[in-house]
Amino acid sequence: MAALPEPVLQTKPDTMAPLMPSTGRPYNPVVTLNGWTLPWRMNAGVKEFHLVAEPVVREMAPGFKAHLWGYNGQSPGPTIEVVEGDRVRIFVTNKLPEHTSIHWHGQRLPNGMDGVAGLNQPAIPVGKTFVYEFVARRPGTFMYHPHADEMTQMAMGMMGFWITHPKAKHPLIDDVDRDFVFLLNAYDIDPGAYTPKIMTMLDFNLWSWNSRIFPGIDPLVVRKNDKVRIRIGNLTMTNHPMHLHGHEFLVTGTDGGPTPKSTRWYEVTTDVAVGQMRQIEFLADEEGDWAFHCHKSHHTMNAMGHDVPTMIGVEHRGIAKQITNLVPDYMVMGERGMADMAEMEMPLPDNTAPMMTGTGPFGSVEMGGMFSMVKVRKDQKAGDYKDPGWYKHPAGEVAYEWTGSLPNPARFAAEGGKSMPVQNMPAKEVEVQVRKPMGNMKH
């Protein structure tokens, strides 16, 4: 083992600062949300990494930990960053209780390095170290995950991100000020339990970004007028329409690489299907704390039951009073909606996250799962990713209760120019004359 690069481990769930390249070709590094980038060593011109597949404990939210499988102390594993044209050598040591392999999802490489156990390589036995070596042939965003007992190992959290930066100025890849990456993953962990149920196919109860659930997901902190890139990979069992508030974005990259500029149009939601990657970019020109989440409403909830009856509109407080004589801790919930569950702060089993949670400056956010915020601040320093706290709204720019007469309208700071300039309008106004059809028009 002395000849191998020392395996670097990380157990904290914090978002680590970008890893600036100290050797090899220069590039602008990414920031892994609630994660980190794997260091490397240069050996005779080859960039060498060391991944360790092993059981890990991942804090999914404060007070809630899961027993998962991952790499180098984390699930997901660390992000690997290289430059187009780099010769890369990855040592993979197996500390799992069963064999494994690694598939380099989306990469162009020799067939014997593709990582499908039994098809183009023997599986990595327990306690053994295998070597993968290939050239990073094209820039883009890729993923890595096992291709051995995949149902178990991916359900247990084994996956990671791979970024190949362009070696020179690329006509389809713009420079950005902030570059975030995270993976969409999902688990089925019973309240009070620690280990995912690996046989679940549809009814997951924890929808996560980088194996974190809100309020455990860090915000994406940017400076006003930064150009921001977010790379999202989906290794769950369903699609996720990712929605950003307050801004429009372009889809600038997919699994196949950067998209042609002629195919890009502005969106506020883009769907990321199973096994896919989407790269979005936008100009962060509106200050505030902007929600960013999957738009499937059940994916912004934490552990919940799927067979709970709908009690909205059902008055059951009378019978509830009788039940409490027998069961003192019985609670009525669901007759007015599910917000009661967030407001009552009912006791939970140990090692469980509330279903609806998160407290903002105006009260409960009533969210969970795949939810976070893009925090845009004009006074955030370049390269500073620290959470600036809650946004302080200018006077008159918060919704308020109507109590009668309205004040005279004031000019808001938000009444700036149009967010998106009108394009392809005629040079002069055209008056359209419309004539109603009369009689037999021989249609």
Side-chain angles (χ1 to χ4, degrees):
M1 296 291 286
L4 302 182
E6 183 177 354
V8 181
L9 305 180
Q10 181 59 259
T11 57
K12 292 182 180 178
D14 305 334
T15 300
M16 301 297 174
L19 180 64
M20 303 304 296
S22 57
T23 58
R25 296 184 178 98
Y27 59 84
N28 186 32
V30 302
V31 172
T32 304
L33 196 63
N34 291 106
W36 57 297
T37 292
L38 185 63
W40 67 89
R41 75 178 184 190
M42 296 300 297
N43 184 5
V46 179
K47 189 171 283 188
E48 294 184 337
F49 299 85
H50 192 173
L51 284 174
V52 179
E54 60 183 351
V56 302
V57 175
R58 176 66 162 175
E59 183 190 73
M60 298 192 72
F64 172 40
K65 294 182 179 180
H67 293 174
L68 307 178
W69 291 358
Y71 301 94
N72 297 56
Q74 287 276 28
S75 168
T79 298
I80 294 175
E81 294 188 73
V82 301
V83 179
E84 177 187 12
D86 279 353
R87 176 169 287 278
V88 182
R89 184 179 295 133
I90 309 104
F91 297 88
V92 179
T93 299
N94 182 12
K95 292 187 177 181
L96 298 173
E98 67 169 359
H99 64 249
T100 189
S101 73
I102 295 191
H103 167 57
W104 311 100
H105 186 112
Q107 299 271 15
R108 289 291 190 101
L109 37 61
N111 183 247
M113 296 292 174
D114 195 44
V116 182
L119 176 64
N120 43 44
Q121 73 159 85
I124 307 173
V126 176
K128 300 296 184 180
T129 297
F130 273 39
V131 181
Y132 296 86
E133 186 168 344
F134 53 91
V135 174
R137 291 168 52 182
R138 62 187 181 94
T141 307
F142 311 101
M143 299 177 277
Y144 64 86
H145 61 79
H147 231 298
D149 193 11
E150 187 172 334
M151 181 189 73
T152 299
Q153 296 185 14
M154 291 185 67
M156 290 292 289
M158 296 190 70
M159 56 193 68
F161 241 122
W162 176 300
I163 308 295
T164 300
H165 297 278
K167 63 183 177 183
K169 184 67 177 175
H170 194 288
L172 299 179
I173 302 176
D174 294 341
D175 293 332
V176 295
D177 300 294
R178 312 231 174 183
D179 197 338
F180 296 94
V181 304
F182 62 88
L183 282 166
L184 309 175
N185 45 7
Y187 301 96
D188 184 10
I189 304 177
D190 286 333
Y194 288 81
T195 305
K197 294 188 285 187
I198 61 171
M199 301 301 289
T200 299
M201 184 173 180
L202 296 175
D203 290 338
F204 295 92
N205 62 10
L206 292 169
W207 300 95
S208 57
W209 294 357
N210 275 2
S211 300
R212 293 280 285 186
I213 55 176
F214 184 76
I217 301 174
D218 285 345
L220 291 76
V221 178
V222 306
R223 184 172 59 165
K224 186 178 179 182
N225 293 323
D226 273 354
K227 187 165 185 178
V228 181
R229 176 182 293 135
I230 305 176
R231 312 173 194 235
I232 307 165
N234 180 9
L235 289 176
T236 74
M237 301 280 265
T238 188
N239 64 308
H240 298 280
M242 301 300 296
H243 175 56
L244 175 63
H245 292 210
H247 297 81
E248 306 87 17
F249 58 74
L250 296 170
V251 176
T252 59
T254 69
D255 317 71
T259 56
K261 292 193 174 181
S262 61
T263 67
R264 303 175 185 179
W265 60 84
Y266 284 99
E267 306 220 33
V268 297
T269 306
T270 188
D271 200 42
V272 189
V274 179
Q276 285 187 337
M277 187 283 299
R278 288 294 178 267
Q279 173 181 293
I280 66 173
E281 294 178 18
F282 62 95
L283 181 66
D285 56 357
E286 296 285 350
E287 275 199 286
D289 295 334
W290 300 105
F292 181 39
H293 57 95
C294 174
H295 217 290
K296 290 186 175 182
S297 56
H298 280 201
H299 295 183
T300 53
M301 309 285 275
N302 290 330
M304 57 186 291
H306 296 93
D307 298 320
V308 177
T310 298
M311 301 299 290
I312 294 175
V314 178
E315 176 56 61
H316 54 291
R317 293 181 183 272
I319 192 171
K321 185 176 181 180
Q322 299 177 44
I323 293 175
T324 53
N325 292 330
L326 298 173
V327 185
D329 292 333
Y330 178 76
M331 289 184 177
V332 176
M333 65 184 108
E335 71 181 58
R336 298 177 311 229
M338 300 304 288
D340 283 352
M341 298 188 70
E343 294 169 0
M344 287 188 296
E345 297 183 358
M346 56 187 293
L348 298 169
D350 291 341
N351 198 54
T352 301
M355 185 177 76
M356 301 164 64
T357 185
T359 302
F362 300 101
S364 175
V365 180
E366 297 178 354
M367 286 287 178
M370 294 177 164
F371 180 92
S372 188
M373 294 147 283
V374 175
K375 293 194 171 188
V376 183
R377 299 290 189 274
K378 65 182 178 182
D379 53 356
Q380 195 80 10
K381 292 183 172 57
D384 183 3
Y385 293 87
K386 292 191 298 292
D387 188 338
W390 299 115
Y391 179 59
K392 295 178 176 58
H393 300 84
E397 292 194 12
V398 175
Y400 57 94
E401 179 186 1
W402 178 67
T403 56
S405 60
L406 296 174
N408 292 326
R411 300 297 295 179
F412 295 159
E415 293 185 45
K418 296 178 180 177
S419 296
M420 298 172 60
V422 177
Q423 297 180 351
N424 300 324
M425 292 294 287
K428 60 181 181 179
E429 293 185 4
V430 177
E431 183 177 352
V432 178
Q433 301 291 334
V434 179
R435 185 162 60 93
K436 182 177 180 181
M438 302 293 290
N440 184 4
M441 301 299 289
K442 301 185 186 300
H443 289 166

